[in-house]
Amino acid sequence: MRCVSLYVRGEWFRVPRGGPSASVRSLGSEALRRYRQAKKLEDGDGEREFSMRRCQGGELLHPEDRAEDVLEDEDFVQMVFAGENPMAMAPQTSYQEPKEYISLDGETLTTAALVSLGQGLFKIKLTPEAEEKVRKCREVIDAFIREDRVVYGVNTGFGMFARTLIPKEQLVQLQANVIRSHCAGVGAPLSVERTRMLLALRINVLAKGYSGVSMETLDAMLKAFNASCLSWVPEKGTVGASGDLAPLAHLTLGLMGEGRMWSPQSGWADAKAVLEGHGLQPLMLKPKEGIALINGTQLMSSLGAEAVERALGVARQADIIAALSFEALKGTTKAFHSAIHAVRPHPGQMEVAARLRSLLDSDVFPSQISESHRSCDRVQDAYTLRCIPQVHGVVHDTVAFVQKVISTELNSATDNPLVFAETGEIMSGGNFHGEYPAKALDYLAIGVHELAGISERRIERLVNPALSELPAFLVRDGGLNSGFMIAHCTAAALVSESKALCHPSSVDSLSTSAATEDHVSMGGWAARKALRVVEHVEQVLAIELLAACQALEFLRPLKTTTPLEKVRELLRSVVSPWDKDRVMSPDIEAAHALVRQQKVWRTVQPYMDEYKNKLKI
């Protein structure tokens, strides 16, 4: 449904824009009706004339104008009553403008730093060295134009039209045309955080000094990022060569003052109004800049950076959550002895085994639960317990490999043609092809999925009394209560869905652009589905965290090790034990938040460090 957000004296109301005859006044009247209803005011109570203004820029809207003529979907509008100061009554935002900067140079951006930029924690600036490289690179472009030398994308058409020469007087129009024509994306827009990442990464790649953009254009992009003025970028429409054309074109379109744009002060509004409201001028692209801004792998790479960082976080927390299940199921720690893993020395496997040794029963952190079954006759455990280092370990190694690929991509020149200021050459190539990030992100999805696969099997062991020696579905009065029965089903559903998502997208290719671009990477889809798989893994592990801590309740008064008790206390700070059935979705969401926010990891990290230090003494 097409809606407009209206701000009425401190309250937001999302009002349908209405049919062709709906006026600005009728939208205001509906918002006022909802305001009275929310405040429990009688009809006519405080009746006053009002005017309607855009939130950003304060543009006054005529009350009799048709809403569909003057308002875009999801526009933000403020209602101002007669006698009120529109600025004093303006909507306030909780957005806190960052004070610190990250310097970009096209060489050193990390996945963690890019995610932090997406979260709005930093502004950005260029290093002096990067600015100098950009200027020298642009001088080459300007020289070619002065000399009327033919260069693809500078004074020719694009793709199949590469042999079509464009007259000098039409070169500026060419840049605007390529942006508008390439804005062909569909689907939901990227989130604010992901759009920030996309813009920051594009700036970083341009700062590398091989794209030929001017410092004026790059400076305008920097100012837009630092003001958090973010274009509307639909998530679908890229085949991953020549780069992520459609998403990057949408990113550029907003900077040109066309289409829609978001800022913390305006919400979604007309791009030109958002820019002007922040004192910014729309981009006027110079020759070569249109293709320079849209040709590259930044969508798949920025989404890939988020996927990598979240995968890193969930992988190391999976080790901790698995240790909780291991304790609740009374496993034997012999399988984690260092001698076993030294003779198969994969880095991830050895890391996970060492982590489990630091969390489970030891001289440093003894476990009453482990002590209680020390003399049992069990020789070895099921694979889901015994093989945690082997299964989790390869995930750690996979994530490390993918992070290396994505980190290289973040700091690579991936557009075409490339400008080499040192030699004065402009060369066409294929660095825009997304096969590297596409293949790596398919690998990431396959690798990280296994954490959910083995986690779901541990959940099955926890809820199945034949395997756990615990009450069925981890609840008393079974039958009257169903406990974790359907939570396990949810985990199974997520695992099954992820299996389909793990089918690699990069094995597909469809010829595009009249067979000029006849092999593509499908890297955009690889990145989006990798993120979905990572989120499913987080959710499955959140369910295991809930189930393992619930299982520990049935082993009381015995306690596990100090670090694992601290994790149980962390969970219990947001989720109480199950003594009878209740709605479980909020519990899963709360546990998922702990995983997403890395709180499980941060809770035990000091204890793992303590364990290592005491071993050295």
Side-chain angles (χ1 to χ4, degrees):
M1 181 182 294
R2 299 173 304 171
C3 292
V4 175
S5 294
L6 283 103
Y7 184 81
V8 186
R9 289 179 170 170
E11 301 287 341
W12 282 105
F13 300 93
R14 200 160 175 266
V15 179
R17 204 174 69 180
S21 62
S23 67
V24 169
R25 185 188 298 277
S26 67
L27 289 183
S29 298
E30 174 61 17
L32 185 57
R33 185 191 69 78
R34 297 186 183 196
Y35 175 78
R36 289 197 188 106
Q37 187 177 45
K39 296 296 185 180
K40 296 182 171 56
L41 300 175
E42 295 294 332
D43 285 346
D45 186 13
E47 189 80 49
R48 297 165 72 179
E49 286 296 316
F50 62 83
S51 61
M52 305 276 280
R53 298 173 180 267
R54 292 189 189 276
C55 287
Q56 188 63 45
E59 175 192 351
L60 187 63
L61 302 172
H62 194 284
E64 302 308 327
D65 278 348
R66 294 196 313 166
E68 72 173 18
D69 291 339
V70 296
L71 294 173
E72 297 288 339
D73 295 346
E74 305 303 337
D75 257 350
F76 281 65
V77 178
Q78 178 189 1
M79 178 182 288
V80 181
F81 291 92
E84 288 181 345
N85 181 343
M87 296 306 294
M89 299 301 295
Q92 300 298 311
T93 174
S94 59
Y95 173 74
Q96 297 295 315
E97 186 173 311
K99 304 298 182 185
E100 297 183 53
Y101 285 79
I102 286 179
S103 294
L104 299 183
D105 58 6
E107 307 287 344
T108 56
L109 182 64
T110 65
T111 54
L114 184 58
V115 170
S116 294
L117 288 169
Q119 293 168 343
L121 302 179
F122 299 94
K123 293 183 179 182
I124 55 179
K125 59 184 178 181
L126 302 187
T127 64
E129 294 79 10
E131 291 184 358
E132 183 62 20
K133 287 192 295 183
V134 170
R135 290 191 182 94
K136 288 183 177 179
C137 185
R138 183 63 199 182
E139 289 172 2
V140 175
I141 294 293
D142 292 339
F144 270 65
I145 294 171
R146 284 195 305 271
E147 297 164 10
D148 291 324
R149 298 169 67 178
V150 178
V151 182
Y152 171 72
V154 177
N155 46 20
T156 74
F158 308 101
M160 182 183 178
F161 298 122
R163 296 182 181 179
T164 302
L165 295 180
I166 309 300
K168 185 177 291 187
E169 63 272 15
Q170 293 182 329
L171 294 185
V172 172
Q173 182 65 45
L174 175 67
Q175 309 311 308
N177 284 354
V178 72
I179 299 303
R180 292 171 184 143
S181 67
H182 284 52
C183 286
V186 297
L190 296 179
S191 67
V192 166
E193 292 78 12
R194 289 174 182 171
T195 309
R196 274 201 198 100
M197 290 174 66
L198 181 62
L199 179 55
L201 181 54
R202 195 63 199 152
I203 292 169
N204 184 65
V205 170
L206 296 174
K208 195 171 180 70
Y210 293 94
S211 300
V213 299
S214 65
M215 262 312 301
E216 292 83 1
T217 291
L218 199 48
D219 187 56
M221 297 174 72
L222 278 164
K223 288 177 179 176
F225 179 90
N226 289 339
S228 209
C229 294
L230 305 170
S231 304
W232 184 84
V233 181
E235 64 178 7
K236 299 178 183 179
T238 174
V239 294
S242 297
D244 296 315
L245 293 171
L248 291 172
H250 282 279
L251 183 74
T252 305
L253 187 72
L255 298 171
M256 291 166 55
E258 300 180 27
R260 284 183 284 175
M261 182 171 267
W262 180 94
S263 81
Q265 291 77 15
S266 68
W268 289 109
D270 176 75
K272 186 176 181 181
V274 173
L275 290 171
E276 290 177 350
H278 288 272
L280 305 176
Q281 293 297 316
L283 275 181
M284 291 290 292
L285 298 176
K286 300 177 177 64
K288 204 317 188 158
E289 290 188 331
I291 195 169
L293 265 63
I294 67 172
N295 209 331
T297 62
Q298 281 66 61
L299 177 77
M300 65 184 89
S301 299
S302 59
L303 295 182
E306 180 188 344
V308 163
E309 285 299 309
R310 288 174 65 174
L312 280 169
V314 75
R316 60 190 185 184
Q317 290 178 113
D319 302 340
I320 301 164
I321 294 168
L324 282 164
S325 295
F326 185 91
E327 273 286 84
L329 293 167
K330 298 182 178 179
T332 173
T333 59
K334 291 179 181 178
F336 309 138
H337 195 286
S338 59
I340 293 175
H341 303 281
V343 296
R344 195 196 191 198
H346 291 295
Q349 178 177 331
M350 292 192 294
E351 177 188 7
V352 175
R355 189 167 290 157
L356 290 171
R357 291 195 298 271
S358 72
L359 294 170
L360 295 169
D361 181 65
S362 67
D363 292 338
V364 179
F365 300 122
S367 164
Q368 294 176 351
I369 294 174
S370 182
E371 184 63 32
S372 73
H373 63 88
R374 196 174 302 281
S375 59
C376 72
D377 58 359
R378 185 185 302 172
V379 177
Q380 58 186 20
D381 296 308
Y383 289 177
T384 51
L385 301 181
R386 195 192 336 161
C387 299
I388 293 170
Q390 290 80 1
V391 177
H392 286 210
V394 71
V395 178
H396 286 275
D397 290 342
T398 298
V399 176
F401 169 79
V402 176
Q403 185 179 37
K404 183 177 180 180
V405 173
I406 297 299
S407 296
T408 299
E409 198 73 9
L410 297 186
N411 297 287
S412 295
T414 58
D415 53 297
N416 181 59
L418 293 173
V419 183
F420 296 86
E422 298 86 352
T423 60
E425 293 180 279
I426 302 177
M427 292 186 276
S428 290
N431 280 4
F432 51 71
H433 202 295
E435 201 71 12
Y436 264 101
K439 279 284 186 287
L441 291 168
D442 278 339
Y443 183 31
L444 180 69
I446 293 168
V448 76
H449 162 73
E450 209 56 40
L451 294 175
I454 195 171
S455 174
E456 182 274 329
R457 290 292 79 205
R458 287 192 296 264
I459 296 169
E460 157 70 9
R461 300 193 75 82
L462 287 165
V463 302
N464 187 336
L467 302 175
S468 68
E469 300 177 0
L470 295 167
F473 304 111
L474 302 174
V475 71
R476 300 193 190 280
D477 299 324
L480 175 63
N481 295 306
S482 297
F484 278 68
M485 182 187 294
I486 305 305
H488 174 232
C489 290
T490 298
L494 292 169
V495 168
S496 181
E497 186 173 327
S498 289
K499 288 176 183 176
L501 291 170
C502 283
H503 179 81
S505 63
S506 61
V507 299
D508 185 28
S509 176
L510 292 170
S511 180
T512 60
S513 193
T516 304
E517 298 159 5
D518 56 349
H519 183 278
V520 298
S521 71
M522 300 300 178
W525 176 223
R528 289 192 292 114
K529 68 186 184 64
L531 274 168
R532 285 177 61 183
V533 171
V534 170
E535 181 170 63
H536 289 172
V537 173
E538 293 168 347
Q539 291 165 332
V540 172
L541 282 160
I543 294 171
E544 184 184 358
L545 174 61
L546 289 167
C549 288
Q550 178 68 11
L552 292 177
E553 302 294 338
F554 292 104
L555 301 181
R556 289 312 198 207
L558 299 178
K559 292 187 176 183
T560 181
T561 62
T562 299
L564 295 182
E565 283 293 332
K566 292 297 180 182
V567 176
R568 190 195 71 84
E569 291 172 12
L570 171 68
L571 180 70
R572 290 292 171 246
S573 70
V574 294
V575 175
S576 60
W578 271 56
D579 55 356
K580 59 182 179 181
D581 280 353
R582 63 174 186 261
V583 178
M584 180 161 276
S585 289
D587 292 355
I588 297 173
E589 290 174 5
H592 183 205
L594 295 179
V595 174
R596 276 294 309 273
Q597 295 163 12
Q598 299 285 303
K599 290 187 177 180
V600 173
W601 172 257
R602 290 199 296 270
T603 295
V604 301
Q605 189 175 18
Y607 296 96
M608 291 189 292
D609 292 341
E610 180 183 345
Y611 177 87
K612 292 178 184 177
N613 291 334
K614 288 189 175 179
L615 286 184
K616 294 175 183 177
I617 296 175

